[in-house]
Amino acid sequence: MVIITEEEDNQKPHPKPSPNPKPTSSSKPSPPSKPPQNVPNPFAFWFYFTITVSIITFFFISFSSLSPQDPKSWFLSLPTSLRQHYSKGRTVKVQTHPDQSPFEVFTAEKGVTESEKVIIVHGLGLSSFGFRKIIEALGARGVHVVAFDLPGNGFSDKSKEEIEENPGGFFGRLRFVVSEIQEKGLFWAFDEIVATGQVPFEEIEARAMKRKVVKPIELGPGEIGKVLGQVIETMGLAPVHLVLHDSALGMVSNWVLENVKSVRSVTLIDTGSKSVGALPLWALEVPLVRELVLGVSYAHALLIRMSCSRGVGGADLDAHRVLLKGRDGTKAIVGMGKKLNHSFDIAEWGGSDGLKGVPMQVLWSGSWSKEWSEEGHRVANALPKATFVTHSGGRWPQEDAADEVAGHIANFVTSLPATVRKVQEEPIPERVQKLLDEAEQSGHHGHVHGHGHEDHSHNVHGAGAGYPDPYGLGHGHGW
């Protein structure tokens, strides 16, 4: 007999294993291995560090190069052409306010002093250096010509020192401490303690309340008119033929109206109806653009050739750039530009009663652009009694059309009736007059008069104050 028994569950056929068996609760899978982390590269750090330091150094050098320099060091670094121009000129002192110190104005002069006298006033951003060729050409044509640098431009003073209240607070005191260290040294207070036995609290407090600051000379039209009048008076030019270029009319228009008797004629060179200058002053005001224009020769040349003149050579352009940025002159120029009368009306000015008898001439660029030629016709219509003449140069024609412009000025000036000047005799000193009177009474007039004449001549040669050279180079100028 056969006994049939049931098989246990373990005797059942095993299913096929799955390719990815699920882990049981008793056996936990091992965590997946993490990808290897990137190891810091020291070369990358030093690369970015070097780039950062280089950029900071570049901007530091750029900004420091635009900061005011020592006048003597600045002068010695100038191109030869600028130094030669300065050596041919003189400085005179002017004062716009009685309670302020006078400042120096540079002048360039050429020609016979007995001839017709012409004074050139340049526009903003220029100087007498830009008119040196016209000065030479006018002098060669028998005209006595003077060009001067407006304050804040060229070789004239561009800044002034003032005393103002020191601002309080932490930053104000910090600036004061820094200025004290720069001026007197780090151990100044310690030296005072050793010398006197006490801390100089009173002196420190007095100096902390007030400080000396250097501010740019930003003159308005009224003050610029005073400068023009003082230059004319000091150099004995009145009555004078005025040559006003670019934005100069807007700066001295009121002075002309108030001093018509001192004006023999007026010549306008590319002066717009609103007396706005050719040089875009915003390029000297916006920080990054300013550093680019003044620091890079190519950028400055591009700006001038696009807006002012296409005929200026590279060396002359660079000389203009050096004068423009030197001794913090851009701040003064921008400040003066903001104070111009932008509502100036040339038709109203030219039609005023005081100017009816003043001869006028308008010299205009006929090749700069169509828009500028149309502006010239508007100026000619606003001044119907003025002679209108075109030239072949740009809006700054004194470089590329100097002989042509000088010829027009000389022809216009010499075509007018000759100027009659009253020669004022110098008064005889009181003690000399007394000797003459005594000699006349005693009958020895001739003998004493000789002594008096000799003494009088000595007085004339001794007159006149000589002003020291502003750059300390021993080239004294004065009037």
Side-chain angles (χ1 to χ4, degrees), residues 124 219-222 224 247-254 257 272-277 335-346 348-349:
L124 290 178
L219 303 183
I224 296 175
S247 56
L249 175 60
M251 293 185 278
V252 301
S253 58
N254 289 335
L257 292 176
S273 57
K274 297 298 182 181
S275 192
V276 178
M336 292 168 66
K338 291 181 178 179
K339 292 183 178 181
L340 284 176
N341 181 15
H342 296 284
S343 61
F344 175 76
D345 189 345
I346 192 171
E348 181 180 353
W349 175 80

Side-chain angles (χ1 to χ4, degrees), residues 13 25 31-32 60 64 96 126 143 151 177 215 269-270 290 297 317 338 347 375 381 400 411 423 444 470:
S25 58
F60 176 78
S64 62
T96 55
L126 274 170
V143 177
V177 172
K215 293 184 177 181
I269 305 179
D270 290 278
R290 179 180 62 239
S297 301
L317 277 174
K338 291 181 178 179
E375 177 68 9
N381 294 332
D400 53 353
N411 293 336
V423 180
H444 298 285

Side-chain angles (χ1 to χ4, degrees), residues 327-400:
R327 298 158 61 215
D328 207 18
T330 54
K331 292 182 179 179
I333 294 173
V334 171
M336 292 168 66
K338 291 181 178 179
K339 292 183 178 181
L340 284 176
N341 181 15
H342 296 284
S343 61
F344 175 76
D345 189 345
I346 192 171
E348 181 180 353
W349 175 80
S352 58
D353 295 335
L355 294 178
K356 287 183 177 180
V358 179
M360 289 191 185
Q361 177 182 220
V362 176
L363 295 181
W364 206 265
S365 172
S367 60
W368 179 252
S369 66
K370 179 181 178 181
E371 292 76 14
W372 189 241
S373 298
E374 294 174 353
E375 177 68 9
H377 290 295
R378 282 193 290 269
V379 173
N381 294 332
L383 303 173
K385 295 182 180 181
T387 304
F388 185 80
V389 184
T390 60
H391 61 80
S392 60
R395 293 184 63 176
W396 287 4
Q398 64 276 9
E399 295 284 352
D400 53 353

Side-chain angles (χ1 to χ4, degrees), residues 3 16 41 104 273 292 451:
I3 299 173
K16 294 181 179 180
N41 189 354
E104 293 181 329
S273 57
L292 182 64
H451 288 288

Side-chain angles (χ1 to χ4, degrees), residues 145 165 208 214 226 229 306-307:
V145 57
E165 296 293 332
V214 178
K226 291 181 180 180
M306 289 179 59
S307 57

